[in-house]
Amino acid sequence: MCLYTHCDDSNSSEAQYINLEQARAHSDLTMSTEECLWREHVVQRLRERDRKECENFKEIIVQNNRLIDHVAQLKSDNLKLSVENEQLRNAVSTGGTGPNVAIATLEKKLLAQQEELTDLHKRKGEHSQMIVDLNLKVEQQKELLSEKEHSLYEQQTANNRLRAEVQLLHSSLEELKKLNTTLLDEHTALQLAFSSLEEKMRNVQDENRYLLERLMRYRAKDADKLNEENESLIRKRSAKLKRDLEDAVREPNSAVNPIVPAPGGTPLHRNSSPAQFGGPAGSDDEIDDGSINGAMEALGLNDEEYISARFMGGEAVHDVVRPNTNTSIETLKAAGYLGQPNPTKIFMKFEAHENESHAVRWSPVERMVATGGADRKVKLWDVGKGSTEPRAVLSGSSAGINSVDFDSTGAYILGTSNDYGARVWTVMDNRLRHTLTGHSGKVMAAKYVQEPIKVVTGSHDRTLKIWDLRSIACIETKFAGSSCNDLCTTDSLGSTIISGHYDKKIRFWDIRTEKQADDVLMPAKITSLDLSKDCNYLICSVRDDTIKLLDLRKNQVISTFSNEHFKISCDFARASFNSGASKIACGSADGAIYIWNVNGFLETTLKGHSTAVNAVSWSPNSNSLASVGKSKRCIIYSDS
């Protein structure tokens, strides 16, 4: 009976489940076709699972029903036999002997039936246990089914939520597409505006070039007029000087005390070009020192001869004796006639790099020095605060630094390296902004051209390259035919590039016309170049242990500086003008720094380095000098 009950329960639960599914299906008719198909698929799978689980027990249930029927039949047979047995016993008790054999037979049958009945009861117990186990499994499957239904409900909820999110994302995507279209339109408009502005800029540049050419023509005319006036002035001054000398000869016995120039007097500076002589000719009292210098050049007199001539001519005091030449030069130095005092005191001394230092440069706007060394680093030092710790360490190079340079605003620093590249850093945040690679040899020098747009670099691969920092690309290559050791530009527009080379030549490059001007040949290979602020004078350190001063308006050497103890330290030793272009400094292989006056004589020698000095740099804002050498040390000299 339990099996029948189980089957009825299974059928009824299945019927209830089907009814439940039908009710749900009826309630969800409004759902989409895809979701209904999915539900029908799940119901079909559940039915298939129930069919598979019940299929295994159908034979057992049929056999159990047969056994139950057989047991009922045996019970009825047993009852009949029991009745017959009682009848026989009654018959025996009344004295009957005939049927004894039949009684024995029936008793044997009864025993056999009882044994069979016992066996059937045993099998019935086993089947009942199996039914209990199966009922437990059914309960477990029901619990699993409820869990699956709960999970299915949660998945449906999550699916609905995800569909809502997908819709939101689709709407967001559409908005982004519209925004992208708008931005593309704006970008197109900006490109058109940029093209228009670029065209205007080109027109302005062309107009600027035209105006510069006109200005150069006017300057040439002014120079011609000034030369004519100077020639007239020279003739007049020569005549006056001749008269003074004749007067001095007529009065040979006059005696006076030696002259000491007044402390407030105008310093006597010697200029090497008539273009710097003063204004138009006037009276003798109006003739300035520039005119005197022009007269000296015209007569072939040097400073010492001119001073002696003026003393002999009776100028400034009536009774004059001819002073000693050395006394005259020392007198001019003591009176300040030779410019500002020299920076003879060591202001700072610190270890700049881990090994040899190659380059040094002052910032144009603050008391800060940049140094570069063989340790592949560029370091910034705050000299104004007197700190011996670097303000910043600029890295990025994979080989030793050869040169450093600031732009005119002091916002960017440019460094060249032995790894065939040049790099641009920003001083404010110390970040590497550009890396310029393209040379096939070590890059020795770099300068800004049309800052901060372009940079020119000179390399040992015998080329000069002009770089556009906006596109970070080389826009022009100039083939020099010899290794470049240093270069400089003539003005902020960088219209002319001057480069010094291993083949002893100074080359001039006009980037506007892409033509090379005449070269200037030096007696030995060139190690460095430096330009005065007015772009009229150029100093060139040469490997024959001399420094040449060139007048760029004449394109010729006007003075040579040397000393018996002065030796150029290396192939990239750097010399430097001071801010007024009145002094020249350069380091020597003996560790000293030699400072010459542009008039031609040595003013002082600075000590402090124990090894060769590679580079020096004058401060543009103060009378300070920075120097580095083959040792790790950087020394800052000052006049106070």
Side-chain angles (χ1 to χ4, degrees):
M1 294 300 292
C2 292
L3 287 173
Y4 286 117
T5 304
H6 173 67
C7 291
D8 293 338
D9 292 341
S10 299
N11 294 329
S12 62
S13 63
E14 183 177 357
Q16 290 177 358
Y17 181 75
I18 293 172
N19 292 332
L20 179 61
E21 291 297 328
Q22 291 177 352
R24 287 182 180 175
H26 184 268
S27 62
D28 296 339
L29 286 175
T30 58
M31 296 178 63
S32 64
T33 305
E34 181 182 356
E35 188 172 357
C36 292
L37 292 175
W38 178 75
R39 285 178 173 274
E40 289 176 1
H41 178 69
V42 172
V43 171
Q44 183 179 357
R45 292 292 298 273
L46 289 173
R47 286 177 179 173
E48 184 178 353
R49 188 197 65 184
D50 290 342
R51 182 181 60 78
K52 288 181 179 179
E53 290 180 353
C54 294
E55 186 70 26
N56 297 327
F57 303 104
K58 280 185 178 180
E59 186 66 27
I60 295 173
I61 294 171
V62 171
Q63 294 295 331
N64 188 45
N65 292 335
R66 289 178 182 174
L67 289 172
I68 291 172
D69 294 337
H70 189 54
V71 168
Q73 183 64 33
L74 290 175
K75 283 183 178 181
S76 63
D77 292 342
N78 189 23
L79 182 58
K80 290 178 181 180
L81 291 173
S82 298
V83 172
E84 290 179 358
N85 189 21
E86 288 297 327
Q87 290 176 356
L88 290 173
R89 286 179 179 176
N90 290 331
V92 171
S93 63
T94 56
T97 57
N100 289 333
V101 179
I103 291 171
T105 304
L106 292 173
E107 286 179 352
K108 289 180 180 181
K109 287 183 178 181
L110 180 60
L111 290 173
Q113 293 295 329
Q114 287 179 347
E115 291 177 357
E116 187 176 359
L117 181 60
T118 302
D119 185 51
L120 290 172
H121 279 296
K122 183 178 179 181
R123 293 173 65 184
K124 179 182 177 183
E126 292 176 354
H127 291 164
S128 298
Q129 185 63 37
M130 291 177 65
I131 290 171
V132 171
D133 294 339
L134 291 173
N135 284 331
L136 291 175
K137 288 184 178 181
V138 169
E139 293 297 329
Q140 292 175 357
Q141 294 297 326
K142 285 182 178 180
E143 292 178 358
L144 182 61
L145 180 62
S146 63
E147 291 177 0
K148 295 292 185 183
E149 289 179 349
H150 182 68
S151 176
L152 179 63
Y153 176 75
E154 290 180 351
Q155 294 296 329
Q156 286 178 345
T157 304
N159 190 21
N160 293 332
R161 185 176 66 254
L162 291 174
R163 286 185 178 180
E165 291 180 1
V166 168
Q167 291 179 353
L168 289 175
L169 291 175
H170 277 299
S171 61
S172 177
L173 179 62
E174 292 298 327
E175 292 178 357
L176 289 175
K177 285 182 179 179
K178 293 179 181 178
L179 181 60
N180 187 31
T181 304
T182 304
L183 291 175
L184 284 174
D185 295 338
E186 292 179 356
H187 180 258
T188 304
L190 289 174
Q191 277 186 331
L192 294 174
F194 174 75
S195 300
S196 175
L197 292 174
E198 193 173 22
E199 183 66 26
K200 288 181 180 179
M201 184 190 71
R202 291 196 189 96
N203 294 333
V204 170
Q205 287 178 344
D206 294 338
E207 183 179 359
N208 186 32
R209 292 191 190 96
Y210 173 70
L211 292 175
L212 282 174
E213 291 174 357
R214 289 182 60 187
L215 179 62
M216 295 299 292
R217 288 196 298 270
Y218 288 144
R219 282 185 176 179
K221 292 180 181 178
D222 291 341
D224 293 338
K225 290 181 180 179
L226 195 58
N227 288 334
E228 293 175 359
E229 294 174 356
N230 286 335
E231 289 174 0
S232 174
L233 190 62
I234 288 170
R235 288 193 297 270
K236 186 174 182 179
R237 185 59 188 169
S238 299
K240 183 179 182 302
L241 187 59
K242 186 176 180 181
R243 290 195 302 271
D244 292 341
L245 293 174
E246 290 175 352
D247 293 339
V249 171
R250 294 191 193 98
E251 301 175 4
N253 296 323
S254 299
V256 295
N257 296 324
I259 292 175
V260 177
T266 304
L268 180 62
H269 296 286
R270 178 175 180 176
N271 297 325
S272 299
S273 172
Q276 286 187 335
F277 286 172
S283 65
D284 293 345
D285 296 334
E286 295 175 352
I287 298 174
D288 58 6
D289 292 330
S291 303
I292 295 173
N293 294 332
M296 291 166 59
E297 286 189 358
L299 295 175
L301 300 177
N302 58 22
D303 293 327
E304 299 167 359
E305 293 171 344
Y306 176 70
I307 292 170
S308 301
R310 291 191 65 175
F311 278 115
M312 290 186 65
E315 188 172 344
V317 179
H318 295 291
D319 298 325
V320 179
V321 295
R322 178 172 180 173
N324 182 275
T325 299
N326 294 331
T327 304
S328 303
I329 298 300
E330 295 300 326
T331 302
L332 290 175
K333 289 183 182 179
Y337 273 68
L338 303 180
Q340 57 189 0
N342 293 308
T344 56
K345 297 180 180 179
I346 296 179
F347 178 72
M348 286 180 63
K349 183 188 296 186
F350 52 89
E351 300 289 331
H353 294 276
E354 297 175 4
N355 39 36
E356 183 176 352
S357 301
H358 294 161
V360 63
R361 182 70 66 177
W362 284 88
S363 169
V365 295
E366 54 183 324
R367 284 181 60 80
M368 180 176 67
V369 167
T371 61
D375 59 358
R376 303 175 295 176
K377 295 180 178 63
V378 175
K379 295 184 179 181
L380 304 180
W381 307 88
D382 201 334
V383 178
K385 296 180 180 179
S387 174
T388 58
E389 293 297 325
R391 170 175 166 179
V393 178
L394 310 179
S395 58
S397 175
S398 57
I401 302 297
N402 291 324
S403 71
V404 292
D405 193 28
F406 288 90
D407 72 327
S408 62
T409 65
Y412 296 91
I413 185 168
L414 175 62
T416 64
S417 173
N418 287 332
D419 62 358
Y420 306 166
R423 290 165 180 82
V424 179
W425 294 269
T426 47
V427 175
M428 180 178 295
D429 55 8
N430 309 318
R431 291 180 60 188
L432 177 63
R433 294 296 180 182
H434 308 296
T435 299
L436 310 176
T437 56
H439 284 288
S440 58
K442 57 184 179 181
V443 183
M444 299 302 297
K447 298 290 182 186
Y448 278 95
V449 181
Q450 299 178 1
E451 60 182 33
I453 300 172
K454 297 178 182 178
V455 165
V456 58
T457 57
S459 170
H460 267 203
D461 63 1
R462 304 180 181 181
T463 65
L464 279 70
K465 291 183 180 291
I466 300 175
W467 308 81
D468 191 334
L469 296 183
R470 295 169 296 184
S471 59
I472 317 178
C474 177
I475 59 175
E476 187 177 354
T477 300
K478 296 185 179 295
F479 297 93
S482 178
S483 300
C484 176
N485 285 335
D486 200 7
L487 56 83
C488 55
T489 56
T490 57
D491 50 40
S492 61
L493 295 177
S495 58
T496 303
I497 300 170
I498 307 173
S499 57
H501 295 268
Y502 189 85
D503 64 354
K504 310 178 186 180
K505 288 183 179 180
I506 300 176
R507 290 176 168 84
F508 298 84
W509 313 85
D510 191 338
I511 64 173
R512 297 171 299 180
T513 61
E514 299 183 358
K515 291 182 180 179
Q516 181 182 347
D518 295 336
D519 300 339
V520 177
L521 183 63
M522 293 289 113
K525 57 186 175 183
I526 299 160
T527 68
S528 73
L529 302 173
D530 194 27
L531 197 64
S532 62
K533 282 189 176 180
D534 59 5
C535 300
N536 290 332
Y537 296 97
L538 177 75
I539 58 172
C540 167
S541 57
V542 188
R543 207 62 174 95
D544 64 351
D545 301 327
T546 62
I547 296 176
K548 308 292 184 181
L549 176 63
L550 288 82
D551 188 339
L552 296 183
R553 293 163 299 185
K554 300 178 181 179
N555 258 19
Q556 59 182 248
V557 176
I558 60 174
S559 187
T560 300
F561 306 93
S562 63
N563 187 272
E564 59 180 347
H565 302 295
F566 174 71
K567 304 292 180 184
I568 295 291
S569 60
C570 59
D571 287 344
F572 53 87
R574 309 298 189 193
S576 177
F577 264 127
N578 70 339
S579 58
S582 61
K583 300 177 189 292
I584 298 168
C586 186
S588 174
D590 60 1
I593 299 173
Y594 290 77
I595 298 179
W596 287 274
N597 190 283
V598 292
N599 291 323
F601 55 85
L602 179 67
E603 289 195 9
T604 187
T605 303
L606 305 181
K607 303 293 185 180
H609 288 277
S610 58
T611 58
V613 179
N614 289 335
V616 296
S617 176
W618 287 92
S619 171
N621 304 315
S622 63
N623 192 26
S624 300
L625 181 71
S627 61
V628 295
K630 289 187 179 295
S631 64
K632 309 174 185 178
R633 186 173 297 171
C634 175
I635 299 179
I636 309 295
Y637 298 91
S638 178
D639 58 356
S640 60

